[in-house]
Amino acid sequence: MSRLKTSKKRAAKSAALAMAAFTLGAMGLQAQESPGFVNTLMPQPAHLSAGSGELDLSTGFTTVTDKSHDERLDAAISRALMRLKNKTGLEIATMPAATGTGTLTITVDGPGEAIQSLDENEDYSLEVSSNAVHLKATTDVGAMHGLETLLQLVQPGKSGYFLPAVTINDSPRFRWRGLMIDVSRHFEPVSVIERNLDAMAEVKLNVFHWHLTDDQGVRIESKVFPKLTSMGSDGLYYTQDQAREVIEYARARGIRVVPEFDIPGHTNAWFPGYPELASADGPFHVMRNFGVNDPVMDPTKESTYKFLDKFIGEMAALFPDPYMHIGGDENNGKEWASNPKIQEFMKAHNLQGTAALQTYFNQKLGPILKKHNKIMIGWDEIYAPGLQKDAVIHSWRGFDSLAATAKDGYRGILSAGYYLDQIDSAGKHYLVDPVPADTTLTPEQSANILGGEATIWGEHVGPLTIDSRTWPRTAAIAERLWSPQNVRDVDDMYRRLWVESLRLEQLGLTHISHQDVALRQLAGTPHTAPLQVLASIMQPVQFHIRYQLQHTDQVTPLDHFIDAIRPDPPSQHELPLLVKQYLSKQGGTEAGEDLEVLFEQWISATPEAEQLIANSPLLAEVQPRAQQMGELGTTGLQALDYLKKGKTAPADWVQSRLAMLDDAKKPAGLVRFTVLDPIKELVEAAGGQK
Ligand code: ACM
């Protein structure tokens, strides 16, 4: 791993460089004298062998499709070649030819399915030699995956960009590899959705799960029931034309679109327009608060099913995917229990408890979905005796439920462990496996597990912040779902993740740049370098802590320091590595010098950061954090000094530093440090405790 290449002597001058390194992660690909193949692929392919030699891209690059090609494939190739051109600065013809020979030959058997299904063939092979590239696939979708891999292979060399000689035979481990975006709590414009689809395609995800309705907003136009949006969306929704545009955009990238209409709970926003659907009396308004709310559809009225039949029919015609997600989660049953008519109905139908009533609802829903040629998918809660066998269970409450449903013959997908909004590390998500090596499932039962989905719930994200909460961590989950089970090296994943993060930025994602933008807005000045230093070692508190401390709801502004910074920034993974390297005395003095540069940088940024914070009322809440940054830097330097001199630090120093670290751990300003554990390690080592 390439880290800070600074020596102590250059420390002062190279503070900016050091900051850049920690802001962006390790340096990634750098031109080297004789680099050979540097594997930065994400996700890792199923089979890869590196050859010898390389294909020099500067000698001209042409592309031929020598078998099947259609408009979709031609467009995908052109987009890929445009990216190759932009990446390398080389003049590259961006239109493929259908005859003749080219540097890149693309052999595709056929376009694939008219409506991409779970069973779409996504395999491809890629053969790069010193004078030619051959990409082969059964379908357009496989070819598109191959093109993404090809772009990721491009490396800088001393004499220009090149493709290393490799042979890749690739196919996905799981068929369902998704990203769910909740657009109800906060609406995301089409442009945001489309750039996220670009990012999904880059890492070979193939399902966009669009959480379109919830208590806080109905986000899809219904021509049959126009009051759903006129009274339930604050004017923020997708027209059907926009939805079609998104579906087409996704299809062009090999991605299915599975819409979710969350029923019977999480339906408050349906009721301002259609109060007759509700189980309690109105009046109803779009809800601002989050969490599990009481409003729920009335499952005892036939009129509810008539409504749903028409609505689902309309949506079934709009969304071509055979699967429709009906949510089904977090119905607390309170309004069913407190409504005498509903209670009477339950008695008359011998329904014991509100869960049984929800099963009744799902059983009524089954034929409606079937009539409109849709297969039901729903969250864990739909799993109950009597559920139709073709339903897919989407597991969010825990890992065990996925295995239990798979054992029971149901197909399932996993999202427990992939909740991006919880603000966990990429490394933690990465190790969550829908079918772990020690699974107790038989191969037949394992085959019921279709894959998984990363989920970005919308409570705490808006158009400016969603990319930073979604990427690059989703790339780690995408690798888990695509690559072989034994690809599990967290350090190697992070090494490639920082490279992937830059590739995503090149695609137009704002997960890195938004931090600069947001800090400028917060500080009211373009000179935000000291705040960037602070941001580089902080991350948002976890979801539930923000929710509790800030009492967030839909109208809470998402413009605090917490919104400017990113989950799991490079410092969280890189500093422990550096400290480990230093304490184990690997690699001479370099790790110690790198640490000194960083600590000095924190110290020197502190007074200016404090000044900027003092000038901005919005930043006032992070004042203690700036001060703590300086203390952390000082503590780090002192610890290094003891260690360098081989002196044991006095016990009272150790104690006071550990107390300071404990203090820095406490929630303040809605943000937390990423670097406390490695500093603690240094302090303990200096005190002779390690
Ligand atoms: C969920 O998180 N309620 C599916």
Side-chain angles (χ1 to χ4, degrees):
M1 178 174 311
S2 157
R3 281 208 205 83
L4 311 176
K5 295 288 180 207
T6 44
S7 71
K8 195 184 172 190
K9 283 182 223 119
R10 287 160 45 209
K13 268 202 232 158
S14 61
L17 170 70
M19 189 182 68
F22 251 5
T23 306
L24 302 178
M27 296 299 188
L29 279 179
Q30 290 170 319
Q32 295 168 30
E33 213 55 67
S34 174
F37 170 48
V38 180
N39 185 344
T40 66
L41 300 176
M42 195 150 213
Q44 283 291 286
H47 303 281
L48 177 149
S49 56
S52 60
E54 57 194 49
L55 189 147
D56 180 354
L57 288 169
S58 63
T59 57
F61 194 90
T62 54
T63 304
V64 173
T65 48
D66 72 350
K67 204 170 174 185
S68 161
H69 71 107
D70 60 357
E71 208 178 311
R72 176 167 70 150
L73 182 61
D74 285 346
I77 295 168
S78 287
R79 284 197 307 274
L81 293 172
M82 189 72 81
R83 283 162 63 194
L84 182 62
K85 188 168 134 169
N86 290 339
K87 205 174 172 121
T88 60
L90 298 169
E91 297 245 342
I92 287 168
T94 55
M95 292 299 292
T99 55
T101 56
T103 327
L104 167 62
T105 303
I106 299 176
T107 309
V108 178
D109 295 339
E113 298 165 320
I115 296 169
Q116 186 177 328
S117 84
L118 255 183
D119 300 317
E120 181 77 281
N121 186 314
E122 300 184 88
D123 305 350
Y124 71 94
S125 69
L126 197 54
E127 180 94 45
V128 182
S129 68
S130 54
N131 55 13
V133 185
H134 199 168
L135 167 59
K136 287 191 211 164
T138 306
T139 67
D140 286 0
V141 177
M144 288 189 247
H145 292 324
L147 287 167
E148 295 295 347
T149 301
L150 184 70
L151 287 167
Q152 293 187 0
L153 282 170
V154 176
Q155 282 183 222
K158 279 290 179 229
S159 53
Y161 289 93
F162 69 91
L163 289 166
V166 287
T167 301
I168 289 171
N169 281 292
D170 205 3
S171 56
R173 179 173 169 216
F174 292 107
R175 290 180 286 169
W176 190 301
R177 306 178 308 280
L179 171 63
M180 187 217 76
I181 300 182
D182 163 18
V183 294
S184 178
R185 276 55 178 253
H186 284 98
F187 181 69
E188 303 295 344
V190 168
S191 58
V192 172
I193 299 297
E194 289 184 346
R195 71 179 185 233
N196 275 275
L197 288 166
D198 287 335
M200 288 175 67
E202 155 88 27
V203 294
K204 300 181 174 56
L205 290 176
N206 66 356
V207 180
F208 169 44
H209 167 178
W210 208 353
H211 185 86
L212 283 163
T213 65
D214 216 299
D215 290 328
Q216 297 80 1
V218 172
R219 303 298 180 199
I220 183 72
E221 175 190 26
S222 166
K223 293 183 196 290
V224 182
F225 300 109
K227 285 189 283 182
L228 283 174
T229 51
S230 68
M231 298 181 74
S233 78
D234 299 309
L236 296 168
Y237 65 93
Y238 308 99
T239 64
Q240 294 196 359
D241 281 343
Q242 286 177 316
R244 273 186 282 271
E245 177 190 324
V246 167
I247 292 162
E248 194 50 44
Y249 195 94
R251 175 171 165 75
R253 286 154 185 78
I255 297 170
R256 300 165 42 210
V257 178
V258 174
E260 178 182 350
F261 312 104
D262 200 348
I263 49 179
H266 285 284
T267 43
N268 167 75
W270 302 53
F271 302 155
Y274 301 94
E276 64 274 19
L277 292 171
S279 297
D281 295 333
F284 296 98
H285 307 280
V286 169
M287 245 175 197
R288 305 304 169 195
N289 61 304
F290 302 140
V292 178
N293 296 307
D294 299 344
V296 57
M297 285 182 177
D298 186 342
T300 67
K301 287 191 203 155
E302 274 311 303
S303 56
T304 300
Y305 302 102
K306 284 207 174 89
F307 183 104
L308 287 173
D309 183 18
K310 284 189 194 158
F311 178 77
I312 288 169
E314 185 185 15
M315 293 301 131
L318 180 60
F319 291 94
D321 198 87
Y323 290 81
M324 187 175 277
H325 205 303
I326 56 122
D329 57 320
E330 296 185 315
N331 165 23
N332 65 19
K334 281 189 191 166
E335 291 190 352
W336 290 352
S338 63
N339 180 323
K341 272 199 202 144
I342 293 177
Q343 285 298 303
E344 220 171 89
F345 180 93
M346 287 169 65
K347 232 176 257 153
H349 288 75
N350 198 23
L351 296 166
Q352 311 286 328
T354 53
L357 183 55
Q358 185 158 343
T359 300
Y360 169 88
F361 174 80
N362 289 338
Q363 282 169 345
K364 297 273 287 182
L365 214 50
I368 296 176
L369 288 173
K370 200 154 261 148
K371 173 178 155 192
H372 298 294
N373 297 314
K374 297 296 171 188
I375 301 163
M376 182 186 291
I377 168 165
W379 299 106
D380 274 332
E381 288 93 328
I382 70 165
Y383 176 56
L387 179 70
Q388 66 231 50
K389 277 287 173 182
D390 67 347
V392 176
I393 317 287
H394 192 169
S395 180
W396 72 280
R397 292 191 296 192
F399 196 76
D400 294 345
S401 65
L402 181 69
T405 53
K407 274 185 185 156
D408 196 17
Y410 285 93
R411 294 173 306 158
I413 61 173
L414 183 67
S415 276
Y418 300 143
Y419 267 43
L420 299 164
D421 53 306
Q422 300 295 308
I423 320 290
D424 282 321
S425 70
K428 185 172 169 187
H429 293 306
Y430 186 62
L431 294 178
V432 173
D433 193 324
V435 186
D438 62 356
T439 183
T440 56
L441 299 180
T442 65
E444 196 181 39
Q445 291 164 344
S446 293
N448 285 332
I449 295 178
L450 304 174
E453 287 184 5
T455 54
I456 182 75
W457 293 98
E459 284 90 342
H460 296 163
V461 299
L464 295 178
T465 57
I466 186 168
D467 293 6
S468 71
R469 271 63 186 151
T470 309
W471 305 98
R473 290 179 302 151
T474 294
I477 298 169
E479 175 156 294
R480 173 59 45 239
L481 298 174
W482 177 280
S483 305
Q485 184 184 57
N486 62 2
V487 177
R488 287 176 68 81
D489 181 333
V490 172
D491 289 344
D492 191 63
M493 180 276 287
Y494 272 110
R495 176 186 68 80
R496 290 176 290 110
L497 191 71
W498 306 136
V499 182
E500 182 53 41
S501 188
L502 296 189
R503 288 195 288 247
L504 289 164
E505 180 164 62
Q506 191 160 31
L507 270 178
L509 277 288
T510 64
H511 58 298
I512 299 171
S513 59
H514 111 283
Q515 181 167 297
D516 293 355
V517 177
L519 290 178
R520 279 193 289 277
Q521 300 310 313
L522 282 167
T525 160
H527 306 294
T528 58
L531 291 176
Q532 287 182 46
V533 176
L534 181 61
S536 74
I537 55 169
M538 308 241 54
Q539 65 174 332
V541 292
Q542 290 200 288
F543 180 95
H544 64 282
I545 297 185
R546 178 175 197 175
Y547 181 63
Q548 284 161 11
L549 289 177
Q550 209 184 3
H551 307 292
T552 49
D553 63 20
Q554 196 183 33
V555 292
T556 305
L558 299 174
D559 60 355
H560 288 249
F561 189 71
I562 181 177
D563 301 297
I565 63 174
R566 296 188 278 155
D568 197 21
S571 57
Q572 176 154 263
H573 185 253
E574 303 282 309
L575 198 69
L577 286 180
L578 211 48
V579 166
K580 191 167 145 201
Q581 201 182 340
Y582 172 73
L583 291 177
S584 65
K585 303 196 167 38
Q586 288 163 5
T589 58
E590 201 181 308
E593 287 168 2
D594 287 351
L595 285 170
E596 274 180 36
V597 170
L598 285 164
F599 297 149
E600 280 164 7
Q601 187 199 358
W602 302 350
I603 295 165
S604 69
T606 293
E608 281 187 66
E610 285 177 327
Q611 188 71 46
L612 288 166
I613 290 167
N615 288 336
S616 164
L618 250 181
L619 281 171
E621 63 190 354
V622 290
Q623 185 73 42
R625 294 314 199 180
Q627 190 200 330
Q628 285 165 332
M629 170 170 70
E631 286 178 33
L632 291 171
T634 305
T635 302
L637 278 188
Q638 288 170 344
L640 288 180
D641 198 50
Y642 284 121
L643 288 163
K644 236 186 336 199
K645 292 181 176 147
K647 282 191 359 199
T648 303
D652 59 345
W653 178 86
V654 173
Q655 223 156 42
S656 79
R657 295 304 83 199
L658 293 180
M660 184 275 292
L661 286 164
D662 274 348
D663 215 37
K665 211 172 207 152
K666 291 180 188 146
L670 301 173
V671 293
R672 57 194 159 135
F673 283 105
T674 56
V675 294
L676 300 182
D677 288 345
I679 307 248
K680 188 174 175 192
E681 256 191 82
L682 283 178
V683 168
E684 286 171 347
Q689 296 174 10
K690 280 261 160 107

